[in-house]
Amino acid sequence: SIDNTPANFIAKISSDGTLDTQFMENIGDGPNRPVSSIEIDNNGNLLLGGGFRSFNNQFTGSFIRMSADGLVDESFMPSVSSQFVDSGITEIIVLENNQIVIGGNLNFVSNEIRNGIAILNDDGSIDPSFDLNLNENVIIRSLNLTNENNLVYAGNIGFNEGGFVSMSDLSGNNIESFEVTYDFGSTSLEAAAI
């Protein structure tokens, strides 16, 4: 709770440091599991990703869009699933054209195989032209966009099988000259920056 107000995994604090009570009323019971990533889209909406499967006791999957005042956009419900329970979206990037790059522990997006990374259109539909054909055990831990609009992504193959840092363009073409592999033993890469 925050200031004696129940807060399940998400809250909004006003610029004066007080809890936004209208937002808290609008989100109701909120997500049923933790939120791992929050981003603001080009229209001022909130994009939330995480290991949750429902929001305010309604099934939503692990990625939702809501207004700045906490109302879930029910027209935006991309189906995102993972082979692992409690896993989901950990990274979100909003592109200038309003498309959304999502990354994490995911295997299917809108019933299409997309391991680790996918690009969604503004309406939540999948961009069919972007498919990196990653291994089904890939877990994306970090996504960054370069000044040249290339994606730098880092992650692991499974939980204890080493990892990689790679780059692709937004059409899904890997940039072969940029490829780093590593082995930290049983420790996974959690973040990368460019």
Side-chain angles (χ1 to χ4, degrees):
S1 71
I2 298 175
D3 292 338
N4 298 317
T5 300
N8 289 335
F9 305 111
I10 184 171
K12 184 177 179 184
I13 307 297
S14 300
S15 58
D16 63 1
T18 60
L19 190 65
D20 184 332
T21 54
Q22 185 61 58
F23 179 88
M24 300 307 291
E25 285 179 25
N26 288 343
I27 66 169
D29 289 332
N32 68 322
R33 297 194 188 283
V35 173
S36 302
S37 187
I38 300 175
E39 192 64 51
I40 300 173
D41 73 11
N42 299 329
N43 298 310
N45 297 309
L46 302 176
L47 300 169
L48 277 64
F52 56 89
R53 295 293 178 266
S54 66
F55 197 94
N56 198 19
N57 301 310
Q58 299 295 316
F59 177 79
T60 58
S62 60
F63 187 58
I64 64 169
R65 178 168 65 195
M66 66 170 53
S67 64
D69 57 4
L71 298 173
V72 173
D73 181 351
E74 295 182 5
S75 70
F76 181 90
M77 290 288 172
S79 171
V80 178
S81 62
S82 168
Q83 61 182 321
F84 300 104
V85 177
D86 297 338
S87 297
I89 310 285
T90 56
E91 298 289 325
I92 303 168
I93 296 175
V94 177
L95 303 176
E96 287 183 7
N97 66 358
N98 292 326
Q99 286 188 308
I100 305 158
V101 185
I102 56 173
N105 189 347
L106 53 108
N107 299 106
F108 292 93
V109 179
S110 299
N111 298 316
E112 298 285 337
I113 296 173
R114 289 296 185 276
N115 296 314
I117 302 174
I119 294 182
L120 301 175
N121 297 310
D122 187 48
D123 63 0
S125 63
I126 193 168
D127 179 348
S129 69
F130 183 88
D131 186 359
L132 294 177
N133 293 307
L134 298 176
N135 180 293
E136 67 179 1
N137 294 317
V138 161
I139 302 168
I140 297 299
R141 304 285 187 181
S142 179
L143 274 177
N144 292 281
L145 194 64
T146 70
N147 292 336
E148 297 79 23
N149 280 330
N150 292 319
L151 280 177
V152 175
Y153 55 97
N156 302 75
I157 309 295
F159 289 99
N160 296 311
E161 299 179 37
F164 60 90
V165 181
S166 299
M167 183 185 293
S168 79
D169 62 25
L170 293 174
S171 297
N173 302 305
N174 275 318
I175 298 172
E176 302 293 338
S177 61
F178 185 94
E179 184 75 33
V180 178
T181 58
Y182 63 85
D183 185 355
F184 295 151
S186 62
T187 303
S188 64
L189 177 76
E190 294 297 329
I194 57 172

